Amino acid sequence: MVSYVNILLYGVGGLVVAGMALLVAFQEKLVYVPVLPGLTKSYAINPSRLRLTYEDIWLRSSDGVRLHAWFIKLFPDCRGPTILFFQENAGNIAHRLEMVRIMLQQLHCNVFMLSYRGYGASDGYPSQHGIIKDAQAALDHLSQRSDIDTSRIVVFGRSLGGAVGAVLTKNNPDKIAALILENTFTSILDMAGVLFPFLKWFIGGSSSNGPKVLNFLVRSPWMTIDVVGQIKQPILFLSGLQDEMVPPSHMQMLYAKAAARNNQCLFVEFPTGMHMDTWLAGGDHYWRTIQQFLEQHAPVRKERNANGTRSIFTLSKAKNGEGILVSWERRGLRSTRPFTNTA
């Protein structure tokens, strides 16, 4: 007769084998979802549908993969901050355009939206090593442009995009002014236990107490918890407390790890924010928080003129709602002209 101990051991062994098979066969499909159910890989709309001025950008990653991006400018000669935005794991950049439209209005910035390899119009297949190369290609492109203030490049990553942005920011302390993380996980290893509770005994990140015997099978671990502690630039943490995908405790742990070594960290909670709609649920408070962070850590650059005076360029909303007021101050004189985006 088979003892209960043997039955238990067989059961545990079966779970381990099932977990290994699941990881090996489907992990990329679980982490990276370029195509939402019922939709196609192509963009449903482009920025012109929302009357946004933009460029189609084609890049090559260091391993030769052809990448696509949109560079959306507030207006043609905007010298405001440039947001390098990294999206979540599902869908493509077209699904974030409404949020970006409001971002431009609220923050008076430019936005660079990258399609990871395998997403949207980009070639290739997604992987952690590949997407890190993609992000670097996007930053290198921005750093070489002459039509933006390259001292005001700020990385903004949401969920998976936060993991991508954290690695890029750590690797480029001289090119990135600041980092914004929203609803980001500590690691994919920790998320495995969230999505599949029985796996938490076999897979886990640095905060896990389990044996972690299956960690070696995870090809895209995205160890954000280890990366944030090495970032020297200012970091803004935006946490939706109703996040149904990533437990809010992950954001709290990321902040604690970063703030232990970096005194330029700020953590802000939004009580009704869910995983994808914190920007909407947070309302004016959400945008004011980011605006104040940008003003402090990616400030307007004062340019010295040939005669030794300094010009300070600022932006404000037009009262008539038709566009933007572009203002400059010089030796105590103030001039203002209206600008209307007709794209």
Side-chain angles (χ1 to χ4, degrees):
M1 179 180 296
V2 179
S3 69
Y4 288 112
V5 173
N6 287 337
I7 293 175
L8 179 61
L9 291 175
Y10 287 138
V12 171
L15 285 175
V16 172
V17 171
M20 292 177 65
L22 184 66
L23 281 174
V24 172
F26 299 110
Q27 63 178 276
E28 258 78 31
K29 294 183 182 300
L30 293 171
V31 176
Y32 309 111
V33 189
V35 183
L36 293 171
L39 300 179
T40 64
K41 184 174 180 285
S42 60
Y43 305 125
I45 60 173
N46 64 40
S48 64
R49 176 76 70 86
L50 300 181
R51 300 177 62 82
L52 299 174
T53 301
Y54 78 104
E55 298 175 42
D56 274 306
I57 304 293
W58 294 96
L59 307 169
R60 287 279 179 186
S61 63
S62 61
D63 57 351
V65 177
R66 187 170 183 256
L67 306 171
H68 178 254
W70 286 326
F71 187 36
I72 306 174
K73 303 190 75 173
L74 180 62
F75 54 86
D77 59 346
C78 177
R79 307 291 290 187
T82 294
I83 305 295
L84 175 50
F85 179 75
F86 296 121
Q87 67 160 75
E88 307 88 329
N89 73 319
N92 58 52
I93 54 178
H95 302 130
R96 281 80 191 176
L97 279 174
E98 177 59 24
M99 184 273 296
V100 167
R101 181 184 69 83
I102 296 175
M103 178 182 287
L104 266 70
Q105 293 174 352
Q106 295 287 339
L107 304 181
H108 307 151
C109 61
N110 307 309
V111 180
F112 191 96
M113 306 179 73
L114 173 70
S115 280
Y116 309 133
R117 60 183 62 201
Y119 283 68
S122 293
D123 295 341
Y125 300 92
S127 69
Q128 177 170 334
H129 293 300
I131 290 175
I132 289 173
K133 296 179 186 295
D134 301 345
Q136 188 65 53
L139 177 61
D140 291 345
H141 169 84
L142 284 176
S143 299
Q144 295 167 10
R145 293 186 70 112
S146 60
D147 59 339
I148 65 170
D149 185 344
T150 56
S151 71
R152 305 181 72 191
I153 296 174
V154 175
V155 169
F156 189 141
R158 180 182 295 136
S159 192
L160 172 66
V164 178
V167 173
L168 185 68
T169 303
K170 176 185 75 73
N171 291 341
N172 295 270
D174 299 327
K175 291 183 178 180
I176 296 172
L179 170 65
I180 301 173
L181 296 179
E182 181 177 322
N183 296 338
T184 298
F185 46 77
T186 53
S187 70
I188 289 296
L189 300 177
D190 289 330
M191 283 301 298
V194 172
L195 298 175
F196 304 100
F198 72 90
L199 286 179
K200 68 182 180 181
W201 300 106
F202 310 107
I203 298 176
S206 56
S207 61
S208 172
N209 295 322
K212 309 175 188 178
V213 294
L214 299 184
N215 280 9
F216 74 97
L217 293 174
V218 180
R219 294 187 287 269
S220 291
W222 289 112
M223 296 294 295
T224 314
I225 189 70
D226 294 337
V227 174
V228 292
Q230 303 175 57
I231 294 173
K232 297 179 174 62
Q233 300 96 311
I235 310 175
L236 172 61
F237 296 82
L238 304 173
S239 178
L241 297 186
Q242 302 304 315
D243 192 327
E244 74 285 10
M245 294 291 295
V246 178
S249 60
H250 282 222
M251 284 290 287
Q252 295 165 4
M253 286 188 284
L254 290 175
Y255 170 74
K257 186 66 175 288
R261 298 184 179 182
N262 185 342
N263 62 6
Q264 300 182 94
C265 295
L266 176 64
F267 187 92
V268 182
E269 297 177 335
F270 299 90
T272 61
M274 299 179 71
H275 189 63
M276 298 286 287
D277 76 346
T278 298
W279 65 274
L280 191 60
D284 290 340
H285 176 47
Y286 177 91
W287 296 112
R288 281 198 307 271
T289 297
I290 299 176
Q291 185 178 44
Q292 291 169 2
F293 180 78
L294 294 179
E295 289 172 353
Q296 181 177 359
H297 299 294
V300 176
R301 184 168 61 177
K302 298 178 181 179
E303 299 182 357
R304 188 166 294 279
N305 303 306
N307 61 4
T309 62
R310 291 189 300 180
S311 298
I312 304 173
F313 296 84
T314 59
L315 297 170
S316 61
K317 291 183 181 179
K319 291 182 179 180
N320 58 11
E322 293 180 356
I324 301 294
L325 292 180
V326 182
S327 306
W328 62 94
E329 299 177 13
R330 184 174 177 180
R331 273 192 177 174
L333 299 177
R334 182 178 179 85
S335 178
T336 304
R337 65 178 174 86
F339 173 84
T340 302
N341 185 353
T342 59

